[in-house]
């Protein structure tokens, strides 16, 4: 499912010695921004390559340059076999299996590996780094398989599939070249081709790997980091949209906004909670529905937790995302390889390829997605129960009994929430040793990232059903009118072909329409036309 580009997305990204921004990663991975290598990066790559070439003729063994890899690190490789060593490394490590990974994930992975190459800390040749930029620019996406990475030494198998394509081997997908307009980029069919043929079509020469280069192309956390950056981008939209959905539910269920008062939230000074409550106050401002029960006749003292505690749950999710962004920013600034060329010219082995820092926050975010989806489903369910919906018809049906209304939409929500709970089981607590016990503790970060992608998609679907349900409930409160911000969301749905209350109809297309509106940010944007930018 494609995402619409944001107005501030760059159309060209220059990869230099410094870190890429999350916005740049999303622009290249998802929207086809062009990629170039900076002059400063080219100079640094050329300078450090000389260090590797000097070590290649040294009589002493140097890991990954004149030795084998992993458990074979003690095996000395003679000069005449070293090019074959690097080529064999890539071929043997391109051992993934299962469905193809999404294009945006593979492009993010390649861009982030290029970013590390650009730091000059890996010792590759300039033409090797330039080949990665050329593939990204030509819209050539290596076929990477779902299974194969243990997240240590980085994402070996996925990165090896990308390196294999740079050699002109393996299979790739070819679509629109970078820089195409969004419609062309997202809608051009992805043709499956042998990599050699695709490179020839694009005028790109296959790379003949030299000493250390194969190792430098596969030793990084780029896959799990790319998926983390993409997930955080989407969660930024989804958590604000969850506030929009919660406001619609509070309003539609005749709840109170008094509990969202700033002074009450300040008694527990979590920043995410304060931002969520601020959003809710802005979204509910001017609601005639809310004013209708602000009387002595209303005997309810407190709303249910799923309504009253929305800022606490959504806010904690925001704060967790904040920590995850800190980790992502640190990783984007990292130069991960093993061995690595230090700033003073040493070539040293290290353990920076271990994916634990990224794996942990990937797992945290899957927990967040499950919890926010869980409270969204509980708010939705209250609309459908005549004993708890404060005067709404059973299941919001037009003719209850003959019609089932939104009964099964909530079933779909519940099924997704159950799946999200399973996906929230942390991957990073597991470790299966590999490479003859040389790699005896691994992060499983790639698996955590794959689970998080499914979790983000599931959260969007759950929030979409809540928005769909709350919009119908707000219509059923007529002639009372909702707040201008929530009314704008209802209007968006109706303009998009999602009908209001009435006899039963095919619901699945309407749910998918709202999922699209949630994922690409249009639900959030509709509310923000009234409130201004929500946090």
């Amino acid at each position: 499912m494609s995402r619409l580009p944001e107005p501030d997305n760059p159309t060209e990204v220059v990869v230099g010695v410094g870190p890429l921004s999350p916005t740049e990663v999303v622009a290249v991975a998802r929207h086809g921004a062009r990629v170039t290598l900076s002059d400063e990066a080219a100079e640094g790559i050329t300078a450090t390559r000389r260090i590797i070439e000097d070590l290649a003729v040294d009589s002493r063994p140097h890991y990954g340059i004149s030795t084998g890899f992993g458990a074979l690190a003690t095996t000395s490789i003679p000069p005449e076999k070293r090019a074959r060593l690097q080529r064999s490394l890539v071929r043997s490590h391109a051992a993934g299996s299962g469905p193809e990974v999404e294009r945006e994930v593979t492009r993010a992975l390649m861009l982030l590996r290029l970013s590390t190459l650009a730091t000059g800390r890996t010792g590759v040749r300039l033409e090797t780094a330039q080949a990665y930029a050329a593939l990204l620019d030509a819209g050539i996406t290596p076929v990477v398989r779902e299974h194969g990475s243990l997240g240590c030494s980085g994402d070996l198998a996925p990165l090896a599939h990308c390196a294999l394509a740079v050699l002109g081997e393996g299979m790739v997908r070819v679509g629109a070249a970078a820089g195409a307009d969004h419609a062309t980029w997202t809608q051009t069919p992805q043709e499956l081709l042998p990599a050699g043929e695709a490179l020839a079509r694009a005028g790109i020469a296959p790379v003949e790997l030299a000493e250390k280069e194969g190792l430098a192309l596969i030793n990084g956390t780029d896959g799990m980091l790319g998926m983390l950056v993409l997930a955080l981008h989407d969660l930024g939209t989804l958590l604000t949209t969850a506030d929009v959905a919660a406001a619609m539910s509070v309003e539609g269920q005749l709840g109170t906004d008094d509990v969202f008062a700033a002074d009450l939230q300040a008694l527990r000074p979590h920043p995410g909670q304060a931002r969520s409550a601020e959003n809710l106050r802005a979204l509910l401002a001017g609601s005639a529905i809310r004013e209708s029960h602000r009387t002595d006749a209303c005997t309810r003292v407190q709303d249910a937790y799923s309504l009253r505690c929305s800022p606490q749950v959504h806010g904690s999710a925001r704060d967790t995302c904040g920590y995850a962004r800190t980790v992502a920013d640190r990783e984007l600034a990292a130069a991960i390889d093993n061995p690595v060329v230090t700033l003073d010219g040493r070539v040293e082995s290290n353990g920076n390829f271990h994916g634990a820092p990224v794996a942990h926050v990937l797992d945290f975010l899957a927990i967040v997605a499950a919890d926010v989806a869980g409270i969204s489903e509980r708010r939705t369910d209250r609309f459908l129960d005549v004993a708890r919906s404060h005067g709404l018809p059973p299941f919001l049906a037009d003719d209850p009994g003959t019609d089932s209304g939104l009964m099964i939409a909530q079933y779909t929500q519940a099924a997704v929430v159950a799946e999200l709970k399973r996906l929230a089981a942390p991957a990073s607590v597991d470790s299966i040793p590999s490479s003859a016990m040389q790699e005896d503790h691994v992060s499983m970060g790639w698996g955590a990232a794959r689970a998080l992608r499914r979790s983000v998609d599931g959260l969007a679907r759950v929030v979409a059903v809540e928005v769909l349900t709350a919009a119908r409930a707000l219509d059923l409160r007529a002639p009372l009118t909702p707040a201008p911000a929530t009314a704008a969301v209802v209007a968006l749905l109706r303009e998009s072909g999602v009908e209001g209350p009435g006899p039963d109809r095919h619901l699945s297309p309407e749910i998918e329409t709202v999922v699209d509106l949630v994922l690409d940010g249009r639900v959030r944007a509709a509310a923000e036309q009234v409130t201004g930018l929500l946090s």
Side-chain angles (χ1 to χ4, degrees), residues 457-470:
D457 179 78
L459 174 59
R461 295 179 186 282
V462 171
V463 170
V465 173
E466 183 182 5
V467 169
L468 174 76
T469 305

Side-chain angles (χ1 to χ4, degrees), residues 78-127:
E80 66 273 14
K81 290 186 177 181
R82 289 176 188 170
R84 176 185 162 193
L85 167 71
Q86 302 299 321
R87 189 168 57 248
S88 295
L89 174 72
V90 170
R91 286 173 173 169
S92 65
H93 283 54
S97 181
E100 291 182 35
V101 168
E102 303 84 1
R103 175 174 60 165
E104 65 177 40
V105 170
T106 301
R107 285 180 61 83
L109 179 153
M110 292 181 70
L111 176 69
L112 292 169
R113 183 70 333 212
L114 174 60
S115 181
T116 286
L117 301 181
T119 65
R121 308 275 59 84
T122 69
V124 300
R125 294 169 300 154
L126 179 58
E127 54 263 44

Side-chain angles (χ1 to χ4, degrees), residues 450-529:
R450 298 305 296 165
L452 179 58
R453 280 185 69 80
R454 289 189 287 273
S455 296
V456 169
D457 179 78
L459 174 59
R461 295 179 186 282
V462 171
V463 170
V465 173
E466 183 182 5
V467 169
L468 174 76
T469 305
R472 181 180 289 200
L474 291 174
D475 279 346
L476 289 169
R477 294 295 183 191
L480 294 172
T481 55
T486 56
V489 175
V490 176
L492 171 68
L493 267 59
R494 304 298 172 248
E495 293 161 5
S496 303
V498 179
E499 298 179 19
D504 281 357
R505 54 188 180 265
H506 186 190
L507 272 179
S508 182
E510 294 192 356
I511 292 172
E512 292 306 304
T513 294
V514 184
V515 170
D516 286 343
L517 296 175
V518 165
L519 274 171
D520 64 26
R522 279 179 284 174
V523 167
R524 172 182 177 170
E528 288 179 331
Q529 288 175 358

